Amino acid sequence: MKIRSKIIASTALVVSITLMLSGFFIYDYAKSIIREQSIKDSRTKLAQISFQLKKVQEQVTKTAEYIVSDEEIGSLVYSTPSPSLEENYFRKQAVQEKLKRFAALNHYIQNIIIVRPDQETFSNNSGYEDYFAEYMKQDWFVSRMEERSGFSVPHQFFYIGSNRQVFSYILKYRPIGDNISPYSYLVLDIAYSEIDNSFLQSAGDFEQIQLSTGSGDTLYESHSDLSADDNAFMNAVSSSDGTYREDARWIALSDASMNQGWKQVALLSKDRLFEKINRVFYFYILIILSAIVLSLIVMLPIILSLTKPLSRLTKAMKRVAVGDLNTSVSIHSGDELEILGAGFNRMVHDLKSHIESSIRDQDMRRKMQIDLLMAQINPHFLYNTLNTIIYLSHAGRNVQAAEMTQALIAILQDTIKTGDGAEFATLSEERRIVDKYVIIQQTRYPDRFRIEWQAEEQLWDSQVPRMLLQPLVENAILHGLFPSDREDGRITIRAYEAHNQLILEVEDNGVGMDENNNEEIRHLSLSEPERTRGIGLSNIRERIQFHYGSPYGVEIDRLDGQGTLIRIRLPLKSNE
C-alpha cells in the first residue's frame, strides 16, 4: 500500500470513525428510548384490552351464576313435565321471559340456552327447539362438555334469519342442593363483535395480535398472513409463561391478566418500530460521507506534494531490488526527502561496488574450499592402500598386491577429477568406489565382514556428492566391526526415496557408539599409526550444507550398543 494511500485512508478513517462512533452512540441511545417507550405503550394498550375483555368475562360469568341460582327458573326447568301440552308450553314461556330479562341486561348476550339432562332445551328465543337440538351437537359444545366451565371457540349462530358470529360461555351444573342428578348445561352465546370492538382501536398498532383461551384455542387474530416461522415464534410466546420475547425481527408481548386463562400475544415489528430513527441514521451517514469528501479535497494537494518524491524513490528502489544497480533518483524538494534521495544514490553506488567485490571473493573462496575438501580425501586413500600393498609385497602375496593396485587405480580414476562436475557423482559410481575399497579391506582382513546393497533400480542414476559413502563404510569397518571381533560382520547400504528426498543409510552390526567415543567417531580422528588425516562426518556435513543448504545433512540414528546407523538426507536429483 502506497504512503499516499495510507495518508488518505488514515484521514478518511479518522474522520469516519469519529463521526460514526458518535452517530452510532446517538442512534443506539435513541433506539433504546424508542424501544422502551414503545414496549411501555404497547403493554398499556394490552392492559386496556384485557380490562375490557375481563369485564365481559366477569359480566358473563355473573349472569350465568344468577341464572343457575334463580330458584324460580330452577323450579320451572326441573319440574316434572305435565301431560298437558298447554301447561308445558306456558312453563317454557315463563322460563323464556325470565331469560329475556337476563339477556336484556347485557346487550352482547345473543342467546341463553339451558340444556336439561334429557336434552330438553329452554331459551330466551322461542321456536328454535329443533335448531337447538342440532346446535348442541356441534364441536364447539361437545368439546367443552367435560369441563366445569369455559369459553368456546368462535362459531356461527342462526338468529333472526341470518348467521351471526358468536362465542359461547358453557357452564356445567346441577340444581342447587342436588349432587346426584346428571349435569345440565347453561350456554350463553356472546356476540363476537364484543371482542372485535375491544381490539378495534389497538389492532393497527401491532403487526399481529392474538387472543387465546386457557385451552389454547384462538378467539381472535388480527392477521393470518404470517409465515410459518413467525407463527411458530408467536405460538412459542403464547405457550410460555413469560411476558416478553425478542428475536431479530419481532418483539413479542403477552398479557394474561384476564380470567379463564385467556392470554393476549402481540407482535411489534422492529422494522416498523425503528423506521423513523433509521431515516435519521441514513441522513447521518450522508453527513459522514460529505465530511470525508471535504477532508480529502482540503488535504489532497498537501498529500501529493509529500508523496510524489516518495513515489519516485520507491520506483528507484524497486529497480535496484531486481538488480538494476545503475539506478539513481533526483529529488529537489528542499527538505528531508532531498537528503534521503542523495543518501539513496550513495547507497546504491556503494552497494554496486561491494557486490562486485563480494562476487570475486566468493568465487575464489568457493574454489579454495572445494579444493581443500577434495585434498582431505585423496591422501587418506593413498596412505592406507599403499601401506596395505607394501604389506602384501613383503608377505610374498603378489597376486593380491596386484589386485589391490588395480582397485586403487580404479578408485583414483573416479575420485581424482577436476573441472566441471568434479564434485558430484552418480550413486552407481559411488557404489563402484565403495566396492573397490571393500576389495582392498577384504584382502587385508579376509572373512571379517560383507557388504549388502539395498536400493531401488531408478535411484542408481541419482546425483550425490563425490566420495560420500566410502568414508562412512570405512568408519563402519574400523570403528564398528573390527573392535567387536565379530566373524559375521555386516555392513548394509540402503538408498530409498522419502518425501522427494534421497535417503542414504550405512548400517553396521558392530560395537555401536557410546558417550565416550561419539565425538571421536563423528570426526574419525583415530590414534592408529596408519592414520594421518582423513575425512569425517563433519567434512561430509560441511559439503552437504555447502551444496544443498540446511534442510539436508547427516544423522546418527542408533547409539544402543548393537551397531550404528548413519543416515544422509539429500535432494532427489537425477544425473541425466
Side-chain angles (χ1 to χ4, degrees):
M1 192 175 183
K2 295 182 178 179
I3 189 169
R4 179 187 306 168
S5 302
K6 288 183 179 180
I7 296 174
I8 294 173
S10 299
T11 303
L13 191 63
V14 170
V15 174
S16 60
I17 287 179
T18 303
L19 294 176
M20 288 182 69
L21 285 177
S22 61
F24 278 124
F25 176 77
I26 296 171
Y27 171 77
D28 188 65
Y29 182 71
K31 185 177 178 180
S32 64
I33 293 176
I34 292 175
R35 178 176 172 277
E36 291 174 3
Q37 187 61 42
S38 178
I39 292 174
K40 184 178 179 181
D41 293 343
S42 298
R43 289 192 185 278
T44 302
K45 292 173 184 177
L46 289 180
Q48 291 173 349
I49 296 172
S50 295
F51 178 74
Q52 296 177 18
L53 294 175
K54 189 175 181 181
K55 285 178 62 178
V56 174
Q57 287 180 309
E58 291 175 348
Q59 192 64 33
V60 169
T61 54
K62 285 181 180 179
T63 301
E65 290 173 1
Y66 291 151
I67 292 173
V68 298
S69 62
D70 190 296
E71 294 182 358
E72 188 174 353
I73 292 177
S75 64
L76 291 171
V77 170
Y78 294 102
S79 63
T80 304
S82 172
S84 172
L85 294 177
E86 184 179 357
E87 289 183 8
N88 289 332
Y89 173 77
F90 285 113
R91 180 168 60 90
K92 280 203 169 187
Q93 284 294 106
V95 174
Q96 178 181 339
E97 292 300 323
K98 290 282 187 182
L99 295 178
K100 280 184 177 181
R101 296 175 186 173
F102 286 103
L105 296 175
N106 300 282
H107 66 279
Y108 45 80
I109 296 181
Q110 300 287 311
N111 184 46
I112 302 174
I113 306 173
I114 297 176
V115 183
R116 291 199 331 181
D118 59 1
Q119 302 304 311
E120 184 178 359
T121 59
F122 299 85
S123 174
N124 61 316
N125 297 303
S126 61
Y128 287 86
E129 284 79 3
D130 293 337
Y131 173 70
F132 290 150
E134 295 298 324
Y135 190 59
M136 295 297 103
K137 294 179 181 179
Q138 295 179 9
D139 289 340
W140 63 267
F141 177 75
V142 175
S143 62
R144 294 290 186 276
M145 291 182 66
E146 299 302 323
E147 298 180 8
R148 176 68 179 83
S149 63
F151 288 89
S152 72
V153 296
H155 59 90
Q156 298 293 323
F157 171 65
F158 185 80
Y159 181 69
I160 312 180
S162 63
N163 285 322
R164 298 188 179 186
Q165 185 82 350
V166 297
F167 67 102
S168 301
Y169 177 72
I170 303 167
L171 177 65
K172 183 171 68 172
Y173 73 98
R174 290 190 181 100
I176 297 175
D178 185 356
N179 297 324
I180 300 175
S181 300
Y183 285 103
S184 299
Y185 293 92
L186 173 64
V187 179
L188 277 66
D189 291 329
I190 308 158
Y192 190 73
S193 59
E194 195 65 22
I195 293 180
D196 274 334
N197 293 335
S198 299
F199 289 98
L200 185 62
Q201 294 182 349
S202 300
D205 298 328
F206 304 100
E207 292 297 318
Q208 172 72 300
I209 186 168
Q210 186 183 82
L211 175 66
S212 58
T213 64
S215 57
D217 297 322
T218 300
L219 280 176
Y220 176 85
E221 194 171 37
S222 59
H223 304 286
S224 58
D225 55 351
L226 292 180
S227 65
D229 292 340
D230 294 338
N231 273 322
F233 174 71
M234 194 164 187
N235 292 333
V237 177
S238 180
S239 60
S240 66
D241 295 332
T243 60
Y244 171 86
R245 184 172 290 190
E246 183 176 352
D247 66 0
R249 296 183 56 200
W250 306 104
I251 296 175
L253 304 174
S254 63
D255 186 294
S257 61
M258 295 163 285
N259 299 331
Q260 298 288 330
W262 284 19
K263 187 174 186 178
Q264 293 184 84
V265 177
L267 284 185
L268 293 172
S269 171
K270 289 186 176 180
D271 292 338
R272 182 178 172 187
L273 182 63
F274 302 131
E275 183 177 0
K276 293 183 179 179
I277 189 66
N278 285 339
R279 293 176 186 172
V280 176
F281 179 72
Y282 297 146
F283 180 72
Y284 198 82
I285 292 295
L286 181 61
I287 294 176
I288 292 174
L289 295 177
S290 302
I292 293 174
V293 172
L294 181 61
S295 300
L296 293 179
I297 291 175
V298 173
M299 296 191 64
L300 198 57
I302 302 173
I303 295 172
L304 290 177
S305 65
L306 292 174
T307 56
K308 280 184 179 179
L310 291 176
S311 298
R312 291 200 296 270
L313 185 60
T314 301
K315 292 178 181 178
M317 292 178 65
K318 289 181 178 179
R319 291 196 297 271
V320 172
V322 297
D324 185 4
L325 298 181
N326 295 318
T327 301
S328 63
V329 62
S330 177
I331 298 176
H332 303 286
S333 60
D335 53 19
E336 291 86 349
L337 293 176
E338 184 175 346
I339 299 174
L340 184 62
F344 172 79
N345 292 334
R346 288 194 301 271
M347 180 193 70
V348 173
H349 180 268
D350 294 344
L351 179 62
K352 182 179 178 181
S353 300
H354 178 72
I355 289 176
E356 291 174 352
S357 176
S358 296
I359 291 174
R360 292 192 299 269
D361 294 344
Q362 186 67 21
D363 287 341
M364 183 177 297
R365 179 184 175 187
R366 182 172 179 272
K367 186 177 183 302
M368 292 177 61
Q369 184 175 7
I370 292 175
D371 291 343
L372 177 61
L373 291 173
M374 297 304 296
Q376 288 180 320
I377 299 171
N378 296 332
H380 174 68
F381 277 108
L382 292 175
Y383 183 82
N384 281 326
T385 306
L386 291 176
N387 273 342
T388 305
I389 293 173
I390 292 172
Y391 168 79
L392 293 175
S393 299
H394 284 302
R397 295 159 63 181
N398 295 329
V399 175
Q400 292 178 325
E403 291 177 353
M404 289 189 65
T405 303
Q406 291 175 350
L408 176 61
I409 292 171
I411 292 174
L412 292 176
Q413 287 175 343
D414 284 326
T415 57
I416 304 177
K417 289 186 178 182
T418 59
D420 295 337
E423 301 97 355
F424 299 97
T426 63
L427 185 60
S428 60
E429 291 173 345
E430 281 296 289
R431 176 174 181 173
R432 185 163 55 250
I433 294 173
V434 171
D435 288 342
K436 297 300 182 182
Y437 174 76
V438 170
I439 290 175
I440 294 173
Q441 293 292 27
Q442 286 181 338
T443 301
R444 187 174 181 184
Y445 305 103
D447 302 325
R448 290 292 303 275
F449 65 93
R450 71 180 189 278
I451 298 290
E452 294 181 359
W453 289 87
Q454 298 177 5
E456 299 176 2
E457 187 65 29
Q458 67 271 17
L459 297 179
W460 290 115
D461 289 330
S462 300
Q463 185 187 79
V464 298
R466 190 175 296 277
M467 289 299 292
L468 187 70
L469 293 177
Q470 185 274 335
L472 302 181
V473 173
E474 181 180 3
N475 179 35
I477 293 172
L478 299 180
H479 297 280
L481 300 180
F482 288 177
S484 68
D485 295 328
R486 298 184 65 132
E487 298 297 332
D488 59 342
R490 183 183 72 255
I491 299 174
T492 303
I493 303 175
R494 303 184 188 90
Y496 58 90
E497 179 185 355
H499 306 295
N500 203 32
Q501 292 183 351
L502 175 62
I503 308 300
L504 302 176
E505 294 181 349
V506 178
E507 181 181 8
D508 65 75
N509 60 349
V511 296
M513 298 185 187
D514 55 29
E515 296 298 329
N516 294 327
N517 64 4
N518 185 17
E519 192 64 25
E520 181 182 4
I521 296 302
R522 287 177 182 270
H523 297 282
L524 294 178
S525 55
L526 300 178
S527 59
E528 297 178 10
E530 65 180 60
R531 295 289 299 244
T532 56
R533 59 176 178 157
I535 176 171
L537 295 183
S538 60
N539 181 282
I540 294 174
R541 185 181 295 108
E542 288 175 6
R543 286 195 289 155
I544 292 174
Q545 294 292 313
F546 180 79
H547 289 301
Y548 306 118
S550 58
Y552 307 98
V554 183
E555 304 170 2
I556 299 179
D557 192 55
R558 191 167 66 236
L559 305 171
D560 56 3
Q562 299 297 320
T564 304
L565 186 145
I566 297 178
R567 181 181 296 109
I568 297 177
R569 297 182 181 272
L570 302 174
L572 184 59
K573 294 183 179 180
S574 175
N575 202 45
E576 296 179 357

